[in-house]
Amino acid sequence: MKRVIYPGSFDPPTNGHLDLISRGAKLFDELVVAILRNSAKTSLFDVNERLEMLRECTSQWENVRVESFEGLLVDYARRCGAQAVLRGIRVVSDYEYELQMAWMNRKLDSTLETVFMMPAGEYAYLSSRLVCEIASLGGTLGDLIPASVESRLRARLGVAPQAPR
Ligand code: PNS
C-alpha cells in the first residue's frame, strides 16, 4: 500500500490543489490531504471549514481522504503510515522553498520521500492568496476555484462579484 500525504494550508482550496490531488491519486494507492492546524497563522477559514470544503470537493476520489494535523509533518507522516509527501511546484520560484523543506524533512526522517508534481499549466499562476485578493476586490474567479468554495469565500468576505462592464 503506497500512501502519500499532501499537506498544506488550503486557505481556501483552489482548482490547482484539486488538479494535484487528482494527479497524486492516480500514482498512489491512498492520498491523504493534510491541513495544517497552525494557531500562529491567521486564516480566513478555520480548519473545520477547510476540512468540509476539501471533503466536498474530493468526494469523487475513493482513495482520497482529508485530515488535519499539528506538529511536525514527519511525525504525522509516521502516524499515518505514509511513505511520501506530495508537494506542487508551479514555477521555479516555488522550488527553492520546497527544496529546503524537503531537505529538512529528509534530515528529520530519512525514510520519508518528497514527490514534486506540477499542476496543469493553466494553474501555474494560481494561489490561495491571489484568489482571496481577487474575491475581496469583487473580481471574478471563473474556473479557478470550485463553485462551492467561491460561494463560501464571497459570503466570508461579504463581497458580490462585479458585473462585467
Ligand atoms: O500550503 P503551505 O502553507 O505552503 O504548506 C506548508 C506546510 C504545511 C507543508 C508546512 O508548513 C509544514 O509541513 N508544516 C508542519 C510543521 C513542520 O513539519 N515544519 C518543518 C517543515 S521542514
Side-chain angles (χ1 to χ4, degrees):
M1 166 72 112
K2 293 281 176 224
R3 184 176 292 133
V4 68
I5 296 178
Y6 178 38
S9 306
F10 306 104
D11 188 35
T14 69
N15 284 349
H17 294 130
L18 296 181
D19 182 89
L20 217 72
I21 291 168
S22 115
R23 289 169 197 279
K26 285 186 200 135
L27 281 187
F28 290 87
D29 298 313
E30 190 173 58
L31 185 149
V32 182
V33 181
I35 305 169
L36 177 65
R37 290 185 176 270
N38 185 355
S39 51
K41 198 170 156 187
T42 39
S43 58
L44 187 59
F45 293 101
D46 68 30
V47 172
N48 287 337
E49 291 172 309
R50 284 178 271 159
L51 275 166
E52 254 177 48
M53 284 189 276
L54 275 162
R55 282 181 180 151
E56 258 170 48
C57 300
T58 59
S59 57
Q60 73 265 39
W61 293 294
E62 280 186 359
N63 62 337
V64 173
R65 62 188 165 89
V66 186
E67 306 286 344
S68 64
F69 77 104
E70 55 192 343
L72 283 176
L73 181 64
V74 291
D75 292 338
Y76 176 69
R78 215 172 283 132
R79 286 200 299 277
C80 246
Q83 296 88 354
V85 171
L86 173 65
R87 291 286 290 172
I89 302 247
R90 294 159 300 184
V91 287
V92 174
S93 54
D94 282 343
Y95 189 63
E96 215 169 316
Y97 167 66
E98 293 300 332
L99 192 63
Q100 188 185 20
M101 271 205 305
W103 279 119
M104 186 55 87
N105 282 332
R106 180 173 282 175
K107 173 76 183 163
L108 296 172
D109 181 349
S110 62
T111 66
L112 184 67
E113 295 295 340
T114 298
V115 175
F116 295 130
M117 291 182 85
M118 301 172 297
E122 69 227 62
Y123 302 129
Y125 52 86
L126 180 57
S127 71
S128 298
R129 186 182 64 77
L130 283 181
V131 158
C132 289
E133 188 173 319
I134 292 162
S136 69
L137 297 171
T140 43
L141 291 159
D143 53 6
L144 297 179
I145 55 174
S148 58
V149 173
E150 180 161 4
S151 40
R152 280 182 189 246
L153 185 58
R154 297 211 181 279
R156 177 57 43 90
L157 297 169
V159 183
Q162 276 173 11
R165 272 178 253 164

